[in-house]
Amino acid sequence: MKLHEYQAKQVFADAGVPTPDSQLASDVDGVVTAAEEIGYPVAVKAQVQVGGRGKAGGIKLVEDDDEAREAAESILGMDLKGYHVDRVLVEEAVDFTDELYVGITMDRGEGKPVAMVSTKGGVNIEEVAEEDPDAIAREHIDPAFGMHPYQARKAVYDAGVDQSVARDVSSVLTTLYQLWDDKDGADAEINPLMVTSDDEVIAADAVMNIDEDALFRQPELAEMEEEAAGGDELEQKADEYGFDYVRLEGNTGIIGNGAGLVMTTLDLVDYYGGEPANFLDVGGGAKADRIANALDMVFSDDNVESVVFNIFGGITRGDEVAKGINEALEQFDEIPKPVVVRLAGTNWEEGMEILNEDLVTVEQTLEDAVQRAVEYAEEVSE
Ligand code: GDP
Ligand code: MN
């Protein structure tokens, strides 16, 4: 579960991490009022859960009411990497000299959390990790003992953070680990942690992802999740239909029955050079109406250019699925996006016969089905 930036900042600020003064706004007048209260210059920042908002036009620095209005008009309602922006954070702009990165995540290879610090903040840290891995200092933490103060200092020193702010950065890192631990974090990250000309540090961005399975013991965060999910219509729809659904950023829609099967399909889409648009598990025993709901979900995603169905019949019977697909598609005068189907398992042959090949492309193997769907998606994107 991902918190929005404004929520993560609240959590960080409550724990004592310095954050800029800010207010949430959902309309143009609200942005201008907030900006006046905070005092120019301010940053207007789209609240959607994707990285790289700056580059995508979702963050604007403004100096006066006119600019604030203009920024609000362009950002509110925009489509940012497939997400509709309905709220912005209006935030005191930081006059910075340096941008650092600090983060805590789980290192699955080591089976331990790892604290990371870098002086190459403000850019995508995955890119830094790839191009210049030495630019990130890492310190593994024994969860039984927590992060020792010397470990925080060592990570900060190893990263080459300037002496003048080393203490403050260590303290932010220690707090970040505490939060990660107390709140069942999956990742906690500040990028950038800005350094100002008077040697202060301030969290200009905030990421906090929570382990979903621990939400039952984090009622405050669970409440934030509800608030956050309110922003995404597709996630809401998935809740209504009772699907396990995760929206991703690609253009190949994926539907399957069973989490493992869906994950495999995702991997194959990636393997064949495509980009998955979602994870959607219709579950076991899926009947025709459930299949139709699943199709409605992926068709409602503007990013989707093609759809691949991967069904392995067990309790879910191939002929039921086929009927569901036909029924769902017969409602359209024109099929919104090409659909490729692969059926296996119980009653797959009956299913194949039932499928209306005027409406869908049928493939015998999963590999062929995925490749076909990826091709369809590419054709549209060209
Ligand atoms: P992200 O692109 O979605 O990760 O959003 P960030 O909040 O990290 O902002 C992207 C970049 O905007 C930062 O790394 C800065 O380089 C730049 N920026 C410039 N001035 C400001 C400012 O006053 N506040 C913030 N938050 N970002 C600023
Ligand atoms: Mn950032």
Side-chain angles (χ1 to χ4, degrees), residues 2-54:
K2 289 181 184 173
L3 297 183
H4 276 288
E5 176 193 5
Y6 74 93
Q7 296 173 320
K9 273 199 173 133
Q10 189 61 56
V11 173
F12 291 1
D14 289 346
V17 174
T19 53
D21 193 10
S22 68
Q23 286 181 33
L24 200 61
S26 54
D27 57 42
V28 176
D29 289 339
V31 171
V32 175
T33 313
E36 282 174 351
E37 277 176 33
I38 291 165
Y40 291 104
V42 298
V44 180
K45 309 179 73 183
Q47 296 300 288
V48 286
Q49 288 154 322
V50 287
R53 291 166 301 169

Side-chain angles (χ1 to χ4, degrees), residues 5 9 20 41-43 45-46 48 50-55 59 61 91-96 99 121-123 191-192 194 203-206:
E5 176 193 5
K9 273 199 173 133
V42 298
K45 309 179 73 183
V48 286
V50 287
R53 291 166 301 169
K55 269 191 201 159
I59 298 181
L61 275 174
E91 181 175 270
E92 178 191 2
V94 180
D95 189 12
F96 61 93
E99 295 186 276
V123 292
N191 186 23
M194 286 180 169
D205 193 10

Side-chain angles (χ1 to χ4, degrees), residues 55-95:
K55 269 191 201 159
I59 298 181
K60 295 219 155 71
L61 275 174
V62 299
E63 306 269 356
D64 56 41
D65 284 3
D66 286 342
E67 285 181 18
R69 195 166 287 283
E70 213 172 290
E73 276 163 3
S74 80
I75 297 173
L76 281 166
M78 86 183 283
D79 176 277
L80 204 126
K81 300 184 178 179
Y83 288 81
H84 180 82
V85 180
D86 58 8
R87 286 173 300 180
V88 292
L89 192 66
V90 182
E91 181 175 270
E92 178 191 2
V94 180
D95 189 12

